[in-house]
Amino acid sequence: MQVVCDPGLRERCYGAFEGLLYSEISQRYPEAHAAWQRRDIDARFPPGVHIAETLREFSQRAVGTISRLASAGKYRRVALVT
């Protein structure tokens, strides 16, 4: 089978958190870090190179992509690899 990479399954964008150690995140962005630790589904982290996704946005994107691939009728089976 052909391998297909779908951008809807890319990893979550964490904005300014990306590339930082946990200790750096907690020092630079204490409120956003606290929201992240609480798993606040609608917390948006400070922007970095890209705008961060909330957990809800990430989940909707990933689940929506999986649903689209599974219901397209093009394949009998779909394998997702991360």
Coordinates of all heavy atoms in Angstrom, one line a residue:
M1 N 0.8 -1.2 0.0 CA 0.0 0.0 0.0 C 0.9 1.2 0.0 O 2.0 1.3 0.5 CB -0.9 0.0 1.2 CG -2.0 -1.0 1.2 SD -3.2 -0.8 2.6 CE -4.0 0.7 2.0
Q2 N 0.3 2.3 -0.5 CA 1.0 3.5 -0.6 C 0.9 4.2 0.8 O -0.1 4.2 1.5 CB 0.4 4.5 -1.6 CG 1.0 5.8 -1.7 CD 0.2 6.7 -2.6 OE1 -0.9 6.4 -3.2 NE2 0.7 7.9 -2.9
V3 N 2.0 4.8 1.3 CA 2.0 5.5 2.5 C 1.6 7.0 2.2 O 2.1 7.6 1.3 CB 3.4 5.6 3.1 CG1 3.5 6.5 4.3 CG2 3.9 4.2 3.5
V4 N 0.6 7.5 3.0 CA 0.1 8.8 2.8 C 0.3 9.6 4.1 O -0.1 9.1 5.1 CB -1.4 8.8 2.4 CG1 -2.0 10.2 2.2 CG2 -1.6 8.0 1.1
C5 N 0.9 10.7 4.0 CA 1.1 11.6 5.1 C 0.0 12.7 5.0 O -0.1 13.3 4.0 CB 2.4 12.3 5.1 SG 3.8 11.1 5.3
D6 N -0.8 12.8 6.1 CA -1.9 13.7 6.1 C -1.6 14.9 7.1 O -1.3 14.6 8.3 CB -3.2 13.0 6.5 CG -4.4 13.9 6.2 OD1 -4.5 15.0 6.8 OD2 -5.3 13.5 5.5
P7 N -1.6 16.1 6.7 CA -1.3 17.2 7.6 C -2.2 17.3 8.7 O -1.9 17.9 9.8 CB -1.3 18.5 6.7 CG -2.1 18.1 5.5 CD -1.9 16.6 5.3
G8 N -3.4 16.7 8.6 CA -4.4 16.7 9.7 C -3.9 15.9 10.9 O -4.5 16.0 12.0
L9 N -2.9 15.1 10.7 CA -2.4 14.2 11.8 C -1.0 14.7 12.3 O -0.3 14.0 13.0 CB -2.3 12.8 11.3 CG -3.6 12.2 10.9 CD1 -3.4 10.8 10.3 CD2 -4.6 12.1 12.0
R10 N -0.6 15.9 11.9 CA 0.7 16.4 12.5 C 0.5 16.6 14.0 O -0.5 16.7 14.5 CB 1.1 17.7 11.8 CG 0.2 18.9 12.1 CD 0.6 20.1 11.4 NE -0.2 21.3 11.8 CZ -1.4 21.6 11.5 NH1 -2.1 20.7 10.7 NH2 -2.0 22.6 12.0
E11 N 1.7 16.8 14.6 CA 1.7 16.9 16.1 C 1.1 18.3 16.5 O 0.9 19.2 15.6 CB 3.1 16.8 16.6 CG 4.0 17.9 16.1 CD 5.5 17.6 16.5 OE1 5.8 16.6 17.1 OE2 6.3 18.5 16.3
R12 N 0.7 18.4 17.7 CA 0.1 19.6 18.2 C 1.1 20.7 18.3 O 2.3 20.5 18.6 CB -0.4 19.4 19.6 CG -1.1 20.6 20.2 CD -1.6 20.3 21.6 NE -2.2 21.5 22.2 CZ -2.4 21.5 23.5 NH1 -2.2 20.5 24.3 NH2 -2.9 22.6 24.0
C13 N 0.7 21.9 17.9 CA 1.5 23.1 18.0 C 1.4 23.7 19.4 O 0.3 24.0 19.9 CB 1.1 24.1 16.9 SG 2.1 25.6 17.0
Y14 N 2.6 23.9 20.0 CA 2.6 24.5 21.4 C 3.1 26.0 21.4 O 3.4 26.5 22.5 CB 3.5 23.7 22.3 CG 2.9 22.4 22.7 CD1 3.0 21.2 22.0 CD2 2.1 22.3 23.9 CE1 2.4 20.0 22.4 CE2 1.5 21.1 24.3 CZ 1.6 20.0 23.5 OH 1.0 18.8 23.9
G15 N 3.2 26.6 20.3 CA 3.5 28.0 20.2 C 4.9 28.3 20.8 O 5.9 27.6 20.5
A16 N 5.0 29.2 21.8 CA 6.2 29.7 22.4 C 6.8 28.6 23.3 O 8.0 28.7 23.6 CB 6.0 30.9 23.2
F17 N 6.1 27.6 23.6 CA 6.6 26.5 24.5 C 7.6 25.6 23.7 O 8.5 25.0 24.3 CB 5.5 25.6 25.0 CG 4.6 26.1 26.0 CD1 4.6 27.4 26.4 CD2 3.7 25.3 26.7 CE1 3.8 27.9 27.4 CE2 2.9 25.7 27.7 CZ 2.9 27.1 28.1
E18 N 7.5 25.6 22.4 CA 8.3 24.7 21.6 C 9.8 25.0 21.7 O 10.2 26.2 21.6 CB 7.8 24.7 20.1 CG 6.4 24.1 20.0 CD 5.9 24.0 18.5 OE1 6.7 24.4 17.6 OE2 4.8 23.6 18.4
G19 N 10.6 24.0 21.9 CA 12.0 24.1 22.0 C 12.5 24.5 23.4 O 13.7 24.6 23.6
L20 N 11.6 24.7 24.4 CA 12.0 25.0 25.7 C 11.9 23.8 26.7 O 11.1 22.9 26.5 CB 11.0 26.1 26.3 CG 11.0 27.5 25.6 CD1 10.0 28.4 26.2 CD2 12.4 28.1 25.5
L21 N 12.7 23.9 27.7 CA 12.6 22.9 28.8 C 11.4 23.2 29.7 O 11.0 24.4 29.7 CB 13.9 22.9 29.6 CG 15.2 22.6 28.9 CD1 16.4 22.9 29.9 CD2 15.2 21.2 28.4
Y22 N 10.9 22.2 30.4 CA 9.8 22.5 31.3 C 10.1 23.6 32.2 O 9.2 24.4 32.5 CB 9.4 21.2 32.0 CG 8.8 20.1 31.2 CD1 9.0 18.8 31.5 CD2 8.1 20.4 30.0 CE1 8.5 17.7 30.7 CE2 7.6 19.4 29.2 CZ 7.8 18.1 29.6 OH 7.2 17.0 28.8
S23 N 11.3 23.6 32.8 CA 11.6 24.6 33.8 C 11.6 26.0 33.1 O 11.3 27.0 33.8 CB 13.0 24.3 34.4 OG 14.0 24.3 33.3
E24 N 12.0 26.1 31.9 CA 12.0 27.4 31.2 C 10.6 27.9 30.9 O 10.3 29.0 31.0 CB 12.8 27.3 29.8 CG 14.3 27.1 30.0 CD 14.9 26.8 28.7 OE1 14.4 26.0 27.8 OE2 16.0 27.3 28.5
I25 N 9.7 26.9 30.6 CA 8.3 27.3 30.3 C 7.7 27.8 31.6 O 7.0 28.8 31.6 CB 7.5 26.0 29.8 CG1 8.0 25.6 28.4 CG2 6.0 26.3 29.8 CD1 7.5 24.2 28.0
S26 N 7.9 27.1 32.7 CA 7.3 27.6 34.0 C 7.9 28.9 34.4 O 7.1 29.7 35.0 CB 7.5 26.5 35.1 OG 8.9 26.4 35.4
Q27 N 9.1 29.2 34.1 CA 9.7 30.5 34.5 C 9.2 31.6 33.6 O 8.8 32.7 34.0 CB 11.2 30.5 34.4 CG 11.8 29.6 35.5 CD 13.3 29.5 35.4 OE1 13.9 29.9 34.4 NE2 13.9 28.8 36.3
R28 N 9.2 31.4 32.3 CA 8.8 32.4 31.3 C 7.3 32.7 31.2 O 6.8 33.8 31.0 CB 9.3 32.1 29.9 CG 10.8 32.1 29.8 CD 11.2 31.9 28.4 NE 12.6 31.5 28.3 CZ 13.3 31.3 27.2 NH1 12.7 31.4 26.0 NH2 14.6 31.1 27.2
Y29 N 6.5 31.6 31.4 CA 5.1 31.7 31.2 C 4.3 31.0 32.3 O 3.7 30.0 32.1 CB 4.7 31.0 29.8 CG 5.5 31.5 28.6 CD1 6.5 30.7 28.1 CD2 5.2 32.8 28.1 CE1 7.3 31.2 27.0 CE2 6.0 33.2 27.0 CZ 7.0 32.4 26.5 OH 7.7 32.9 25.4
P30 N 4.4 31.5 33.5 CA 3.9 30.8 34.7 C 2.4 30.5 34.6 O 1.9 29.4 34.9 CB 4.2 31.7 35.9 CG 4.6 33.0 35.3 CD 5.0 32.7 33.9
E31 N 1.6 31.5 34.1 CA 0.1 31.2 34.0 C -0.2 30.2 32.9 O -1.1 29.3 33.1 CB -0.6 32.6 33.7 CG -0.6 33.5 34.9 CD -1.3 34.8 34.6 OE1 -2.2 34.8 33.8 OE2 -1.0 35.8 35.3
A32 N 0.4 30.3 31.8 CA 0.2 29.4 30.7 C 0.7 28.0 31.1 O 0.0 27.0 30.8 CB 0.9 29.8 29.4
H33 N 1.8 27.9 31.8 CA 2.3 26.6 32.3 C 1.3 26.0 33.2 O 1.1 24.8 33.2 CB 3.7 26.8 33.0 CG 4.3 25.6 33.5 ND1 4.1 25.2 34.8 CD2 5.0 24.6 32.9 CE1 4.7 24.0 34.9 NE2 5.3 23.6 33.8
A34 N 0.7 26.8 34.1 CA -0.3 26.3 35.1 C -1.5 25.7 34.3 O -2.0 24.6 34.7 CB -0.7 27.3 36.1
A35 N -1.9 26.4 33.3 CA -3.1 25.9 32.5 C -2.7 24.6 31.8 O -3.6 23.7 31.7 CB -3.5 27.0 31.5
W36 N -1.5 24.5 31.3 CA -1.0 23.3 30.6 C -1.0 22.2 31.6 O -1.5 21.1 31.3 CB 0.4 23.6 30.1 CG 1.0 22.4 29.4 CD1 0.4 21.5 28.6 CD2 2.4 22.1 29.3 NE1 1.3 20.7 28.0 CE2 2.6 21.0 28.5 CE3 3.5 22.7 29.9 CZ2 3.8 20.5 28.3 CZ3 4.7 22.1 29.7 CH2 4.9 21.0 28.9
Q37 N -0.6 22.4 32.8 CA -0.5 21.3 33.8 C -1.9 20.9 34.3 O -2.1 19.8 34.6 CB 0.3 21.8 35.1 CG 1.8 22.0 34.8 CD 2.4 20.8 34.2 OE1 2.5 19.8 34.9 NE2 3.0 20.9 33.0
R38 N -2.9 21.8 34.2 CA -4.3 21.5 34.6 C -5.0 20.8 33.4 O -6.1 20.3 33.6 CB -5.1 22.8 34.9 CG -4.8 23.4 36.2 CD -5.8 24.5 36.5 NE -6.0 25.5 35.4 CZ -5.4 26.6 35.2 NH1 -4.4 27.0 36.0 NH2 -5.7 27.4 34.1
R39 N -4.3 20.7 32.3 CA -4.9 20.1 31.0 C -6.1 20.9 30.6 O -7.1 20.4 30.2 CB -5.2 18.7 31.2 CG -4.1 17.8 31.6 CD -3.0 17.7 30.6 NE -2.0 16.7 30.8 CZ -0.8 16.9 31.4 NH1 -0.5 18.1 31.7 NH2 0.0 15.9 31.6
D40 N -6.1 22.2 30.8 CA -7.2 23.1 30.4 C -7.4 23.0 28.9 O -6.5 23.3 28.1 CB -6.8 24.6 30.8 CG -7.9 25.6 30.5 OD1 -8.8 25.3 29.6 OD2 -7.8 26.7 31.0
I41 N -8.5 22.4 28.5 CA -8.8 22.1 27.2 C -8.9 23.3 26.2 O -8.6 23.1 25.0 CB -10.1 21.2 27.1 CG1 -10.2 20.5 25.7 CG2 -11.3 22.1 27.4 CD1 -11.2 19.4 25.7
D42 N -9.1 24.5 26.8 CA -9.3 25.7 25.9 C -8.1 26.7 26.1 O -8.2 27.8 25.6 CB -10.6 26.3 26.1 CG -11.8 25.5 25.6 OD1 -11.7 25.0 24.5 OD2 -12.7 25.3 26.4
A43 N -7.1 26.3 26.8 CA -5.9 27.2 27.1 C -5.1 27.3 25.8 O -4.8 26.4 25.1 CB -5.0 26.6 28.1
R44 N -4.9 28.6 25.4 CA -4.0 28.8 24.3 C -2.7 29.4 24.8 O -2.7 30.4 25.5 CB -4.7 29.8 23.3 CG -3.8 30.0 22.0 CD -4.4 30.9 21.0 NE -5.8 30.5 20.7 CZ -6.2 29.5 19.9 NH1 -5.3 28.7 19.4 NH2 -7.5 29.3 19.7
F45 N -1.6 28.7 24.4 CA -0.3 29.1 24.9 C 0.2 30.3 24.1 O -0.3 30.6 23.0 CB 0.7 28.0 24.9 CG 0.1 26.7 25.5 CD1 0.1 25.5 24.9 CD2 -0.4 26.8 26.8 CE1 -0.4 24.4 25.5 CE2 -1.0 25.7 27.4 CZ -0.9 24.5 26.7
P46 N 1.2 31.1 24.6 CA 1.7 32.2 23.9 C 2.2 31.8 22.5 O 2.7 30.8 22.3 CB 2.8 32.7 24.8 CG 2.5 32.2 26.2 CD 1.8 30.9 25.9
P47 N 2.0 32.7 21.5 CA 2.5 32.4 20.2 C 4.0 32.4 20.1 O 4.7 33.1 20.8 CB 1.9 33.5 19.3 CG 1.6 34.7 20.3 CD 1.3 34.0 21.6
G48 N 4.5 31.5 19.3 CA 5.9 31.5 19.0 C 6.1 31.7 17.5 O 5.5 32.6 17.0
V49 N 6.8 30.8 16.9 CA 7.0 30.9 15.4 C 5.6 30.7 14.8 O 5.3 31.3 13.8 CB 8.0 29.8 14.9 CG1 8.0 29.7 13.4 CG2 9.4 30.1 15.5
H50 N 4.8 29.8 15.5 CA 3.4 29.5 15.0 C 2.4 29.8 16.1 O 2.8 29.9 17.3 CB 3.3 28.1 14.6 CG 4.2 27.7 13.5 ND1 4.0 28.1 12.2 CD2 5.3 27.0 13.5 CE1 5.0 27.6 11.4 NE2 5.8 26.9 12.2
I51 N 1.2 29.9 15.8 CA 0.1 30.1 16.8 C -0.2 28.8 17.4 O -0.4 27.8 16.7 CB -1.1 30.7 16.2 CG1 -0.8 32.1 15.5 CG2 -2.2 30.9 17.2 CD1 -0.3 33.1 16.4
A52 N -0.2 28.7 18.8 CA -0.5 27.4 19.4 C -1.9 27.0 19.2 O -2.8 27.8 19.1 CB -0.2 27.6 20.9
E53 N -2.1 25.7 19.3 CA -3.5 25.1 19.2 C -3.9 24.8 20.6 O -3.1 24.4 21.5 CB -3.5 23.8 18.5 CG -3.3 23.8 17.0 CD -3.3 22.4 16.4 OE1 -2.4 21.7 16.6 OE2 -4.3 22.1 15.8
T54 N -5.2 25.0 20.9 CA -5.7 24.6 22.2 C -5.9 23.0 22.1 O -5.8 22.5 21.0 CB -7.1 25.1 22.5 OG1 -8.1 24.6 21.5 CG2 -7.1 26.7 22.4
L55 N -6.0 22.4 23.2 CA -6.2 20.9 23.2 C -7.4 20.6 22.5 O -7.5 19.6 21.7 CB -6.2 20.4 24.6 CG -6.2 18.9 24.8 CD1 -5.1 18.2 24.1 CD2 -6.2 18.5 26.3
R56 N -8.5 21.4 22.6 CA -9.7 21.1 21.9 C -9.6 21.2 20.4 O -10.0 20.3 19.7 CB -10.8 22.1 22.4 CG -12.2 21.8 21.8 CD -13.2 22.9 22.2 NE -13.3 23.1 23.6 CZ -14.1 22.5 24.4 NH1 -14.9 21.5 24.0 NH2 -14.1 22.8 25.7
E57 N -8.9 22.2 19.9 CA -8.6 22.4 18.5 C -7.8 21.2 18.0 O -8.1 20.7 16.9 CB -7.9 23.7 18.2 CG -8.7 24.9 18.4 CD -7.9 26.2 18.5 OE1 -6.7 26.2 18.6 OE2 -8.5 27.2 18.3
F58 N -6.7 20.8 18.7 CA -5.9 19.7 18.3 C -6.7 18.4 18.2 O -6.7 17.7 17.2 CB -4.8 19.5 19.3 CG -4.0 18.2 19.1 CD1 -3.2 18.0 18.0 CD2 -4.1 17.2 20.1 CE1 -2.5 16.8 17.8 CE2 -3.4 16.1 19.9 CZ -2.6 15.9 18.8
S59 N -7.5 18.2 19.2 CA -8.4 16.9 19.2 C -9.4 16.9 18.1 O -9.5 15.9 17.4 CB -9.1 16.9 20.6 OG -10.0 15.8 20.5
Q60 N -10.0 18.1 17.8 CA -11.0 18.1 16.7 C -10.3 17.9 15.4 O -10.8 17.2 14.5 CB -11.7 19.5 16.7 CG -12.7 19.6 17.9 CD -13.2 21.0 18.0 OE1 -12.7 22.0 17.5 NE2 -14.4 21.1 18.7
R61 N -9.1 18.5 15.2 CA -8.4 18.3 14.0 C -8.0 16.8 13.8 O -8.2 16.2 12.7 CB -7.1 19.2 13.9 CG -6.2 18.9 12.7 CD -5.1 19.9 12.6 NE -4.2 20.0 13.8 CZ -3.2 19.1 14.1 NH1 -3.0 18.1 13.3 NH2 -2.5 19.3 15.2
A62 N -7.4 16.2 14.8 CA -6.9 14.8 14.7 C -8.1 13.9 14.5 O -8.1 13.0 13.6 CB -6.1 14.5 15.9
V63 N -9.1 14.0 15.3 CA -10.2 13.0 15.3 C -11.0 13.2 14.0 O -11.4 12.3 13.3 CB -11.1 13.2 16.5 CG1 -12.4 12.4 16.3 CG2 -10.4 12.7 17.8
G64 N -11.1 14.5 13.6 CA -11.8 14.8 12.3 C -11.1 14.2 11.1 O -11.7 13.6 10.2
T65 N -9.8 14.2 11.1 CA -9.0 13.6 10.0 C -9.1 12.1 10.0 O -9.3 11.5 9.0 CB -7.5 14.0 10.2 OG1 -7.4 15.5 10.1 CG2 -6.6 13.4 9.1
I66 N -9.0 11.5 11.2 CA -9.2 10.0 11.3 C -10.6 9.6 10.8 O -10.7 8.7 10.0 CB -8.9 9.6 12.7 CG1 -7.4 9.8 13.1 CG2 -9.3 8.1 12.9 CD1 -7.1 9.7 14.6
S67 N -11.6 10.4 11.2 CA -12.9 10.0 10.8 C -13.1 10.2 9.3 O -13.7 9.3 8.6 CB -14.0 11.0 11.5 OG -14.0 10.7 12.9
R68 N -12.5 11.2 8.7 CA -12.5 11.5 7.3 C -11.9 10.3 6.5 O -12.4 9.8 5.5 CB -11.9 12.8 6.9 CG -11.8 13.0 5.4 CD -11.2 14.4 5.1 NE -9.9 14.7 5.7 CZ -8.7 14.2 5.3 NH1 -8.6 13.4 4.3 NH2 -7.6 14.5 6.0
L69 N -10.7 9.9 7.0 CA -10.0 8.8 6.3 C -10.7 7.5 6.4 O -10.8 6.7 5.5 CB -8.6 8.7 6.9 CG -7.6 9.8 6.7 CD1 -6.3 9.6 7.5 CD2 -7.3 9.9 5.2
A70 N -11.3 7.2 7.6 CA -12.0 6.0 7.8 C -13.3 5.9 7.1 O -13.7 4.8 6.6 CB -12.2 5.8 9.3
S71 N -14.0 7.0 6.9 CA -15.3 7.0 6.2 C -15.2 7.3 4.7 O -16.3 7.3 4.1 CB -16.2 8.0 6.9 OG -15.8 9.3 6.7
A72 N -14.1 7.5 4.2 CA -14.0 7.9 2.8 C -14.3 6.7 1.8 O -14.6 7.0 0.7 CB -12.5 8.3 2.5
G73 N -14.3 5.5 2.4 CA -14.7 4.4 1.5 C -13.6 3.9 0.6 O -13.8 3.0 -0.2
K74 N -12.5 4.6 0.6 CA -11.4 4.3 -0.3 C -10.6 3.1 0.2 O -10.1 2.3 -0.7 CB -10.5 5.5 -0.4 CG -9.4 5.4 -1.4 CD -8.6 6.7 -1.5 CE -7.5 6.5 -2.6 NZ -6.7 7.8 -2.7
Y75 N -10.6 2.8 1.4 CA -9.8 1.7 2.0 C -10.7 0.8 2.9 O -11.6 1.3 3.5 CB -8.6 2.3 2.8 CG -7.7 3.2 2.1 CD1 -7.8 4.6 2.4 CD2 -6.9 2.8 1.1 CE1 -7.0 5.5 1.7 CE2 -6.1 3.7 0.4 CZ -6.1 5.0 0.7 OH -5.3 5.9 0.0
R76 N -10.3 -0.4 2.9 CA -11.0 -1.3 3.9 C -10.4 -1.2 5.3 O -11.1 -1.4 6.2 CB -10.9 -2.8 3.4 CG -11.7 -3.0 2.1 CD -11.6 -4.4 1.6 NE -12.0 -5.4 2.7 CZ -11.6 -6.6 2.7 NH1 -10.9 -7.1 1.7 NH2 -12.0 -7.4 3.7
R77 N -9.2 -0.9 5.3 CA -8.5 -0.8 6.6 C -7.6 0.5 6.6 O -7.0 0.8 5.5 CB -7.6 -2.0 6.9 CG -8.5 -3.2 7.1 CD -7.6 -4.4 7.5 NE -8.5 -5.5 7.5 CZ -8.1 -6.8 7.6 NH1 -6.8 -7.0 7.6 NH2 -8.9 -7.7 7.6
V78 N -7.5 1.1 7.7 CA -6.6 2.3 7.8 C -5.7 2.0 9.0 O -6.1 1.7 10.1 CB -7.4 3.6 8.0 CG1 -6.5 4.8 8.3 CG2 -8.4 3.8 6.9
A79 N -4.4 2.2 8.8 CA -3.4 2.1 9.8 C -2.8 3.4 10.1 O -2.4 4.1 9.2 CB -2.3 1.1 9.4
L80 N -2.8 3.8 11.4 CA -2.2 5.1 11.8 C -0.9 4.8 12.5 O -0.9 4.0 13.4 CB -3.2 5.9 12.7 CG -4.5 6.2 12.1 CD1 -5.5 6.8 13.1 CD2 -4.4 7.1 10.9
V81 N 0.1 5.5 12.1 CA 1.4 5.2 12.8 C 1.9 6.6 13.3 O 1.9 7.6 12.5 CB 2.4 4.6 11.8 CG1 3.8 4.4 12.4 CG2 1.8 3.3 11.2
T82 N 2.4 6.6 14.5 CA 2.9 7.8 15.1 C 4.4 7.6 15.5 O 4.8 6.5 15.7 CB 2.1 8.4 16.3 OG1 2.2 7.4 17.3 CG2 0.7 8.6 15.9

